[in-house]
Amino acid sequence: MEIVNPGLSGDYHMHSLQYSDGLPTIDEIVQYAGRLGLEEIAITDHSQAALDRSGLTKKAHRSIVQRWENVHNDVKVIFGVEGDLLDEEGNICEDIAGHTSDFLILSLHHQVYQGNFSKVTEAYLKAMEKYGQKIRFLGHPHIQKGTEHLDMAALVEAANHHDIPLEFNGRYFRQGGNADNLQIMLQKADRIYVNSDAHTLSELRDHRRACFNFLKQESYLS
Ligand SMILES: [Zn+2]
Ligand SMILES: [Zn+2]
């Protein structure tokens, strides 16, 4: 198993105040990422389907990120989207107010997915067939809700086949995760991202560190 983003090389999953349900603004995230010593971050706000589902209407227009510049530090900033698996046909909501990104995460959120939960493995497999490497990684596949029928071994095998990494997600490692699926993923995945999924600055600081401590403790890392 290879870790795509070891140490402080990057954190590729977090949420902002402007575009979804994070507490800090983009500028606050970037300043604090610099203080933490991160080289690169991806701000990956929730897709429009998730925003609609949770009644989050945002004031800011997403197009503003094209004008935004990092005036704080040398942290490289990517504006991504945490896309949503929508149905068992493998369709994904990949935009925020019509704006897509080259940096697309594929995640399952049980409140947003409209398909049959007993076919969630098929839904993932079809999405990977359809979107391929456009999907940068599978977000928190070791989440608990909605994955009761997920065949984790089959999911990891398909992700490996498509050369799509899976995510060891700090938020769902610390709350609401499926420990068995996490172990299957860590044992079988070719490539893993370790990301915070931070919605606050303290989560940006702490979540990845907890994951790395676990990886050492379980001897996945030397
Ligand atoms: Zn969120
Ligand atoms: Zn998520």
Side-chain angles (χ1 to χ4, degrees):
M1 187 252 290
E2 178 207 340
I3 295 183
V4 181
N5 58 335
L8 292 167
S9 57
D11 185 346
Y12 297 93
H13 188 165
M14 63 195 70
H15 297 270
S16 79
L17 175 69
Q18 281 100 331
Y19 300 114
S20 66
D21 58 349
L23 216 53
T25 64
I26 286 164
D27 285 278
E28 287 164 347
I29 291 170
V30 171
Q31 286 175 69
Y32 193 61
R35 278 176 54 192
L36 291 174
L38 283 158
E39 288 169 28
E40 185 170 53
I41 60 172
I43 300 174
T44 53
D45 280 303
H46 289 288
S47 79
Q48 194 61 46
L51 296 175
D52 290 344
R53 202 75 195 148
S54 51
L56 275 169
T57 23
K58 308 309 284 184
K59 297 191 294 282
H61 199 279
R62 175 80 176 178
S63 61
I64 203 79
V65 298
Q66 288 156 4
R67 274 166 44 204
W68 184 90
E69 281 178 50
N70 181 357
V71 297
H72 306 293
N73 51 42
D74 294 329
V75 178
K76 292 187 219 90
V77 182
I78 297 164
F79 290 100
V81 175
E82 184 180 11
D84 272 271
L85 187 59
L86 291 176
D87 53 41
E88 58 213 43
E89 297 307 314
N91 292 307
I92 303 175
C93 179
E94 55 167 319
D95 72 283
I96 300 171
H99 289 260
T100 55
S101 164
D102 290 340
F103 200 94
L104 173 68
I105 305 175
L106 173 59
S107 294
L108 168 74
H109 299 111
H110 75 281
Q111 319 92 314
V112 183
Y113 176 74
Q114 299 291 302
N116 186 330
F117 281 97
S118 68
K119 294 194 174 156
V120 82
T121 309
E122 275 174 73
Y124 266 120
L125 266 48
K126 283 189 182 164
M128 285 190 276
E129 285 293 338
K130 272 189 186 173
Y131 289 80
Q133 302 242 318
K134 189 156 193 235
I135 301 166
R136 294 304 182 103
F137 58 86
L138 302 184
H140 51 63
H142 56 93
I143 198 171
Q144 204 147 39
K145 286 195 173 166
T147 59
E148 292 80 1
H149 302 282
L150 176 66
D151 182 343
M152 190 63 173
L155 179 69
V156 175
E157 195 182 316
N160 288 343
H161 170 76
H162 289 282
D163 203 16
I164 297 172
L166 296 100
E167 180 189 50
F168 182 12
N169 180 292
R171 172 179 163 91
Y172 289 102
F173 169 58
R174 303 185 86 187
Q175 57 191 50
N178 179 320
D180 293 335
N181 279 349
L182 174 62
Q183 290 287 2
I184 294 168
M185 182 183 88
L186 294 175
Q187 282 157 19
K188 295 184 184 295
D190 288 343
R191 293 195 295 150
I192 292 276
Y193 271 92
V194 179
N195 294 323
S196 66
D197 196 359
H199 290 66
T200 70
L201 295 182
S202 64
E203 291 170 358
L204 192 63
R205 178 190 63 195
D206 298 338
H207 277 358
R208 290 181 78 244
R209 199 160 49 191
C211 294
F212 284 117
N213 287 342
F214 177 81
L215 289 170
K216 273 190 204 126
Q217 180 197 310
E218 299 283 309
S219 304
Y220 288 108
L221 285 181
S222 45

